């Protein structure tokens, strides 16, 4: 059994760790509320914009917006990997990295795959492959639509220039503080709209459907990427809050066990001292 000094040192260490994890949990909880409100408010707009774009596209010929919807033989693939800049958030980052590795080795085993890292953890995971064409980790320092729009524009330019035949986004979709869903979305080319659905758009179009669609496509793509990064940002704080809550509970349990061990060791030491005193007294009497 460890001596009393070692146990006291471990109790102090665990208590300090518990204070840190508890503080991190509260910080993430505060940030989560703001991030959750942002993504919750944004989703209806993003979904409606996509719905409107699909509805308009379904009523037009297939050549409209062709530079973003051109289907080419897939030889070069670009995957936008969205993670966090920091750790201590459970399996949040590792789930994304595993999903991207599986996508690379299974789905695109015969294609040339490159990456755009949005988050330092993604950059750290894939920089050894020498296939990262851009590291956009600093976007989390000032997460605004305009900053994300620059990344989306860069992706669109590379697709139109023919540098990549397909671009996908992999990120954690926010469900609640305890649940994040690894999500894979095709960014470019634009997914063809099913013509089987009944499209009913009772609108008056000005100037024309074609011009509206051509203006909406870039905006929709920028919104899609912004929503993905916003989802990931909210998921990160939810995952960290949950992880730090579990870490705090585990630290408390370990501290209680150490205190029990300490009390038992202290009681055993006191008992031994008493026995020694009694034994010495009896020896003197005899």
């Amino acid at each position: 059994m460890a001596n009393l000094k070692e146990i006291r040192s471990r109790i102090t260490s665990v208590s300090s760790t518990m204070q840190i994890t508890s503080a991190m949990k509260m910080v993430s909880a505060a940030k989560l509320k703001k991030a959750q409100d942002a993504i919750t408010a944004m989703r209806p707009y993003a979904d409606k914009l996509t719905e409107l774009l699909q509805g308009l596209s379904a009523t037009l010929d297939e050549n409209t917006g062709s530079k973003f919807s051109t289907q080419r033989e897939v030889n070069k693939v670009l995957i936008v990997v969205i993670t966090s800049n920091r750790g201590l958030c459970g399996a949040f980052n590792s789930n994304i990295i595993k999903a991207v590795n599986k996508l690379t080795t299974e789905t695109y085993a015969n294609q040339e795959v490159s990456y755009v890292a949005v988050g330092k953890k993604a950059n750290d995971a894939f920089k050894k492959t020498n296939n990262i064409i851009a590291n956009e980790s600093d976007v989390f320092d000032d997460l605004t639509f305009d900053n994300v729009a620059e990344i989306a524009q860069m992706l669109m330019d590379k697709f139109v220039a023919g540098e990549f035949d397909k671009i996908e986004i992999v990120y954690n979709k926010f469900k609640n503080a305890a649940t994040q869903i690894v999500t894979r979305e095709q960014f470019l080319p634009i997914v063809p709209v099913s013509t089987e659905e009944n499209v009913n758009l009772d609108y008056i179009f000005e100037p024309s459907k074609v011009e509206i669609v051509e203006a909406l496509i870039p905006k929709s793509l920028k919104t899609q990427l912004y929503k993905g990064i916003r989802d990931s940002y909210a998921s990160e704080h939810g995952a960290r809050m949950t992880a730090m809550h579990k870490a705090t509970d585990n630290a408390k349990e370990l501290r209680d066990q150490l205190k029990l061990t300490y009390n038992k060791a202290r009681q055993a030491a006191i008992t031994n001292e008493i026995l020694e005193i009694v034994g010495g007294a009896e020896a003197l009497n005899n």
Side-chain angles (χ1 to χ4, degrees), residues 16-278:
S16 298
T17 300
M18 187 175 69
Q19 290 178 343
I20 294 171
T21 56
S22 179
M24 292 181 67
K25 171 191 169 183
M26 290 187 289
V27 170
S28 290
K31 291 183 177 180
L32 172 63
K33 180 64 170 64
K34 184 177 180 180
Q36 183 177 352
D37 290 344
I39 189 61
T40 302
M42 180 183 177
R43 275 180 182 163
Y45 168 76
D47 293 342
K48 188 63 179 178
L49 181 62
T50 301
E51 177 188 338
L52 180 61
L53 179 62
Q54 290 178 341
L56 285 170
S57 299
T59 63
L60 299 172
D61 61 80
E62 60 183 8
N63 294 323
T64 302
S66 58
K67 66 179 182 179
F68 295 122
S69 59
T70 303
Q71 302 289 331
R72 299 191 288 258
E73 181 181 356
V74 179
N75 294 315
K76 294 184 178 182
V77 178
L78 180 62
I79 301 176
V80 181
V81 188
I82 304 176
T83 62
S84 67
N85 283 343
R86 298 184 296 129
L88 296 177
C89 46
F92 175 83
N93 292 311
S94 60
N95 286 341
I96 292 294
I97 293 168
K98 287 177 183 177
V100 173
N101 282 330
K102 184 177 181 180
L103 190 62
T104 302
T105 57
E106 295 182 7
T107 306
Y108 299 123
N110 299 320
Q111 282 79 28
E112 180 182 339
V113 180
S114 300
Y115 309 97
V116 169
V118 181
K120 292 180 181 177
K121 295 300 179 180
N123 185 63
D124 293 343
F126 296 103
K127 65 182 179 182
K128 294 181 180 179
T129 65
N130 297 320
N131 289 334
I132 292 184
I133 66 167
N135 179 12
E136 303 292 347
S137 303
D138 57 351
V139 72
F140 290 111
D141 297 336
D142 185 17
L143 186 52
T144 62
F145 179 81
D146 290 339
N147 290 336
V148 175
E150 293 179 5
I151 302 174
Q153 188 61 55
M154 179 264 291
L155 298 176
M156 289 186 280
D157 291 342
K158 288 185 178 297
F159 178 80
V160 172
E163 295 182 34
F164 298 100
D165 305 310
K166 189 175 184 180
I167 300 177
E168 295 204 19
I169 308 171
V170 181
Y171 66 96
N172 278 300
K173 183 176 182 179
F174 179 80
K175 183 176 181 181
N176 53 53
T179 306
Q180 300 83 37
I181 304 169
V182 176
T183 304
R184 169 190 170 193
E185 290 181 359
Q186 181 168 317
F187 187 70
L188 287 169
I190 295 174
V191 179
V193 181
S194 174
T195 56
E196 297 177 0
E197 298 180 4
N198 183 23
V199 180
N200 182 19
L201 295 174
D202 188 17
Y203 301 138
I204 297 175
F205 299 100
E206 179 66 34
S208 69
K209 289 183 181 180
V210 174
E211 291 179 76
I212 291 174
V213 169
E214 289 179 346
L216 275 181
I217 287 177
K219 186 175 183 64
S220 177
L221 290 171
K222 293 174 182 177
T223 302
Q224 179 185 356
L225 182 60
Y226 184 58
K227 181 174 71 71
I229 295 178
R230 269 289 177 192
D231 253 318
S232 180
Y233 186 68
S235 298
E236 174 193 349
H237 291 300
R240 182 171 291 109
M241 186 185 75
T242 302
M244 291 301 99
H245 176 73
K246 292 179 180 178
T248 302
D249 289 347
N250 291 338
K252 184 177 183 300
E253 182 180 350
L254 179 57
R255 185 192 63 179
D256 292 343
Q257 291 175 352
L258 287 171
K259 284 184 176 180
L260 181 61
T261 302
Y262 175 80
N263 290 333
K264 287 181 178 179
R266 183 169 176 271
Q267 186 62 48
I270 293 173
T271 302
N272 288 334
E273 290 178 2
I274 293 174
L275 290 175
E276 290 174 0
I277 293 172
V278 172

